[in-house]
Amino acid sequence: MFAALRVRNYRLFFLGQVVSNTGTWMQRIAQDWLVLQLTDSPFAVGVTTALQFGPMLFFGLFGGLIADRYPKRRLLLMTQSSMGLLALVLAVLTLTGVVQTWHVYLVALGLGLATVVDNPARQTFVNEMVPHRLVRNAVSLNSGNFQLARMVGPAVAGVVISVVGSGWAFAGNAASYLAVLAGLFLMRPAELQRQPTAPRGPGQLREGLRYVRGRPDILWTIVLVFFLGTFGYNFAIVLSAYTKQVWTSGADLYGLLNTAMAAGSVVGALVAARRTTSRLAGLFLSAAAFSLLLLLLGLARWLPVFAVLLVVTGFVSVTFNTLGNSTVQLATDPKLRGRVMSIYMLVFLGSTPLGSVLVGAITQHWGAPAALVVTGAVCLVATLGVGVMAARQTGVRVELDLHRDAEHHLALVHAEPGSSLLTTAPAARETLVAARTADRG
């Protein structure tokens, strides 16, 4: 489960990220709450989210190209430093009492611009820190790291906001970047496994898009991630509105709801870290389960039930995210990994602004429960639709033999033996068969 932590460079990176990610979650909670206090508008919270993730939508491919061309450790030193400075600016504005909504908007936009380069560089840097056999484990541990911070950060933010105000949460985030910068500085560059870089040349962005289009296993994973990222991953808007509209409570409950979801996410990430292979069938199943959980959350009206469902939702959501991330990374040519991962992160993070404005509007006009029901229904329909289209394109069909006194066979038969749609395990790329003995009665 923790094999990648034996590598010194990765261990330094992991520990720095634990502190930095906790600070980042503190800022996210404090930022959403501050905007809600300043405007009393869930739609304004959605606009803030859109500004923070919008740059990935428009410039994400360029960030991936930069990550393919330049040393990733150097890029991370630059992006993490700029994010820390932005957090410090917002802390000063808030603590001095002069902060306005447009200040928060500008800081969110600045963080989004830094994320354009930071995300593909950070996602692909794992391939330099650990050997290839440990990449899947490291990706899962990164997810667990992020979700652990998501569990601790909101709880800490709720206490800090309630006791001393949002400004100190921003200050804590600014200080947390020192940990990740220290980890990057203390690494041994000679022990990094250098990946091939992309030379300058025409048509490099198109090359990445053509590569994805020619790989059904990568293409349909990214399409599925687009729909769930657009409509399903807008919990900051929905949970803040739930806290005020449904339970008429404050920042402490908002932090606890985020912590409940993160608790399930940590368990999901640790379970994922034990996997050595992954099947795309599991990706689609986890997407369908996530969609159904959104529907159930929208129908829940009792706080304990809602909290338990959030834990399960966290488990399933991180399972889906980890499966998608590791599948795309391991299936991609190293020379194109930055561009392909930028496309992945573009649809996962860059699609969030599209959904955040829509979900914010639904939440404001019809309430948070209606927003969860609508987004859950959209995600479920999208999962089924993408699954059907993927099966048709790659020649996968389902066969069920129900003859009496015979074995029951449920098979996914592939028409193109070379495709890797069904599984990333090489031994199972042609056919996946699950058999069960005949019923006794």
Side-chain angles (χ1 to χ4, degrees):
M1 186 180 293
F2 302 104
L5 289 176
R6 298 172 189 155
V7 181
R8 181 182 182 275
N9 282 340
Y10 178 75
R11 188 165 60 250
L12 287 170
F13 179 80
F14 182 90
L15 293 174
Q17 286 291 307
V18 168
V19 179
S20 180
N21 285 336
T22 300
T24 297
W25 273 105
M26 287 176 59
Q27 171 144 338
R28 286 190 182 183
I29 300 301
Q31 179 178 280
D32 293 339
W33 197 255
L34 177 62
V35 172
L36 205 57
Q37 282 184 319
L38 293 172
T39 65
D40 196 30
S41 169
F43 181 75
V45 178
V47 171
T48 307
T49 304
L51 288 170
Q52 186 161 342
F53 294 102
M56 180 65 71
L57 181 63
F58 296 102
F59 308 113
L61 292 178
F62 294 97
L65 182 57
I66 292 171
D68 278 339
R69 282 182 178 174
Y70 299 101
K72 296 168 184 58
R73 178 168 167 266
R74 187 186 306 167
L75 290 175
L76 289 173
L77 286 169
M78 296 170 60
T79 56
Q80 295 289 307
S81 298
S82 62
M83 289 175 167
L85 288 174
L86 287 168
L88 182 60
V89 168
L90 188 55
V92 171
L93 289 171
T94 306
L95 291 172
T96 55
V98 299
V99 67
Q100 298 181 36
T101 306
W102 67 271
H103 292 148
V104 185
Y105 285 169
L106 283 180
V107 170
L109 179 61
L111 289 171
L113 291 171
T115 301
V116 167
V117 178
D118 183 82
N119 250 305
R122 185 159 38 85
Q123 294 287 332
T124 56
F125 188 44
V126 66
N127 294 276
E128 295 189 11
M129 290 184 288
V130 301
H132 183 76
R133 62 184 175 81
L134 293 178
V135 168
R136 189 184 302 278
N137 180 259
V139 169
S140 298
L141 288 177
N142 283 347
S143 295
N145 184 327
F146 182 78
Q147 299 303 332
L148 178 63
R150 185 181 178 183
M151 182 170 59
V152 175
V156 175
V159 174
V160 171
I161 295 170
S162 299
V163 176
V164 292
S166 300
W168 288 105
F170 301 139
N173 182 41
S176 73
Y177 281 98
L178 296 175
V180 69
L181 291 173
L184 290 169
F185 275 116
L186 291 172
M187 285 183 181
R188 295 169 182 166
E191 295 179 7
L192 293 174
Q193 303 177 61
R194 299 295 183 187
Q195 300 294 308
T197 56
R200 290 181 176 273
Q204 290 182 313
L205 293 179
R206 290 193 299 273
E207 182 184 10
L209 293 171
R210 284 197 301 269
Y211 182 84
V212 170
R213 187 175 58 188
R215 292 290 304 271
D217 52 337
I218 297 176
L219 174 63
W220 290 113
T221 297
I222 290 177
V223 171
L224 184 60
V225 165
F226 168 79
F227 281 104
L228 267 68
T230 300
F231 298 100
Y233 282 78
N234 284 288
F235 289 99
I237 302 168
V238 175
L239 291 184
S240 62
Y242 249 96
T243 302
K244 295 197 72 173
Q245 295 177 0
V246 179
W247 291 298
T248 61
S249 188
D252 51 348
L253 178 60
Y254 179 47
L256 287 175
L257 290 177
N258 279 276
T259 300
M261 187 171 181
S265 300
V266 172
V267 177
L270 292 177
V271 171
R274 295 180 61 86
R275 295 191 185 100
T276 57
T277 61
S278 62
R279 295 172 176 170
L280 289 187
L283 184 73
F284 279 89
L285 287 173
S286 61
F290 176 73
S291 305
L292 289 172
L293 283 165
L294 291 179
L295 287 169
L296 291 175
L297 282 168
L299 299 174
R301 291 295 183 273
W302 192 32
L303 181 57
V305 173
F306 189 84
V308 170
L309 287 173
L310 277 179
V311 174
V312 182
T313 303
F315 180 93
V316 175
S317 68
V318 81
T319 299
F320 170 78
N321 191 22
T322 302
L323 285 173
N325 190 308
S326 59
T327 296
V328 172
Q329 285 222 49
L330 291 173
T332 302
D333 186 326
K335 292 182 179 179
L336 293 158
R337 191 173 284 133
R339 277 163 283 179
V340 172
M341 286 307 297
S342 72
I343 297 173
Y344 178 90
M345 298 309 298
L346 184 153
V347 300
F348 186 62
L349 297 179
S351 62
T352 301
L354 303 177
S356 64
V357 175
L358 177 62
V359 173
I362 295 174
T363 302
Q364 183 160 324
H365 291 288
W366 291 292
L372 279 174
V373 171
V374 170
T375 55
V378 171
C379 288
L380 184 59
V381 171
T383 300
L384 295 175
V386 172
V388 169
M389 290 187 290
R392 286 180 177 176
Q393 178 178 335
T394 54
V396 175
R397 65 183 185 273
V398 178
E399 295 181 352
L400 181 63
D401 185 358
L402 295 177
H403 290 94
R404 287 180 64 88
D405 301 324
E407 287 187 342
H408 292 194
H409 295 284
L410 177 61
L412 294 178
V413 183
H414 208 287
E416 298 177 6
S419 173
S420 57
L421 175 68
L422 294 178
T423 174
T424 57
R429 285 180 179 169
E430 295 184 2
T431 307
L432 174 66
V433 179
R436 188 176 65 180
T437 56
D439 293 336
R440 294 183 178 179

